[in-house]
Amino acid sequence: ATMMRSLVFALCLLGAALAQDDMPDFSSMPGFGDKPCPNFRCSSGYTPVQKSRSKFVSKGCSKMGGGMMMMAGGGGDEKYASCCDQWHACYQTCGASKKSCDDGFKTCSERVCGSDQDCKKGADMNSMLLGMGGCGLYDQGQYAGCECTKKSNVEEKRSAAIRGFYKKWSPENVDKADSLAKKADSNGKMAALFRKLVAKYPKSIKVEIDDEMKMYQNMMNKAKEEKGDDEGGADDSDEHDEF
């Protein structure tokens, strides 16, 4: 209940803030701010490793923060959409922390938006809502991207994961897998490597629009068409009055 009241209040303030130069600071409100989420863990004797046939899927900017961006008016055509895709993929990268993914989105959107104020406001809204989404999406992504393997087989599994990625997205680099696996000798290094790979080969992220977003976009398009018809009717009336 506290979380919902905070959300409603924040969205009300946010609507007014969009017309201003600065976004409001909600970090001290209940349910807001960065929430530490535990990394994926395995039982004793096992280590989490990126799955060898990983699938990176993005639901777009509207699904960041548990889908609350769509409630706030996310339209699905953001200039920084590629940053949202990278954020989704980061959550699905085994060993990547939630904070590193969220910070990565901020850095990416700042670079993409540049001096575009409308773009920056939209990205700032996304960033703010990330702190309200809890750990659900992050946990789901880690479960989808990680698998537990015996510690004695970790390097082999890491090599298989790298090889599987290169085989699909950059076949000429498959032979690099073993050497890269030796260098990526920790979960943090392996996560950093995969984030670089996904950023270098953005087509490795499958962008999907779920039914909820499709319905929202259809509603928005219909509203625009109806508004256009109404404006057209008003113009015709004015023309007849002049004559």
Side-chain angles (χ1 to χ4, degrees), residues 194-235:
F194 257 88
R195 289 182 65 183
K196 289 180 180 179
L197 289 175
V198 173
K200 187 175 182 179
Y201 304 101
K203 289 184 179 180
S204 63
I205 306 174
K206 182 180 180 181
V207 180
E208 295 182 350
I209 300 178
D210 60 17
D211 292 338
E212 185 180 8
M213 187 60 191
K214 288 179 181 178
M215 182 176 68
Y216 173 80
Q217 290 180 339
N218 289 336
M219 289 173 59
M220 292 298 292
N221 290 333
K222 185 176 181 180
K224 289 180 181 178
E225 291 176 359
E226 292 178 349
K227 182 178 180 181
D229 291 341
D230 291 341
E231 290 177 349
D235 291 342

Side-chain angles (χ1 to χ4, degrees), residues 127-194:
S127 295
M128 185 272 291
L129 290 176
L130 291 181
M132 299 163 55
C135 298
L137 283 177
Y138 174 74
D139 290 342
Q140 290 175 22
Q142 290 296 289
Y143 275 105
C146 295
E147 65 176 332
C148 293
T149 186
K150 290 183 178 180
K151 291 185 177 181
S152 58
N153 297 331
V154 168
E155 185 176 315
E156 179 184 345
K157 287 289 187 179
R158 285 173 177 160
S159 180
I162 299 170
R163 187 179 298 106
F165 184 93
Y166 273 139
K167 186 175 181 180
K168 187 167 185 179
W169 304 109
S170 184
E172 65 276 14
N173 289 311
V174 167
D175 292 340
K176 295 180 180 180
D178 290 342
S179 61
L180 288 174
K182 289 182 181 296
K183 294 178 181 179
D185 56 0
S186 69
N187 287 348
K189 290 181 180 179
M190 184 68 171
L193 171 62
F194 257 88

Side-chain angles (χ1 to χ4, degrees), residues 31-50:
F32 287 75
D34 292 331
K35 178 180 179 181
C37 299
N39 291 337
F40 184 91
R41 294 182 180 180
C42 299
S43 57
S44 178
Y46 289 78
T47 299
V49 178
Q50 188 74 35

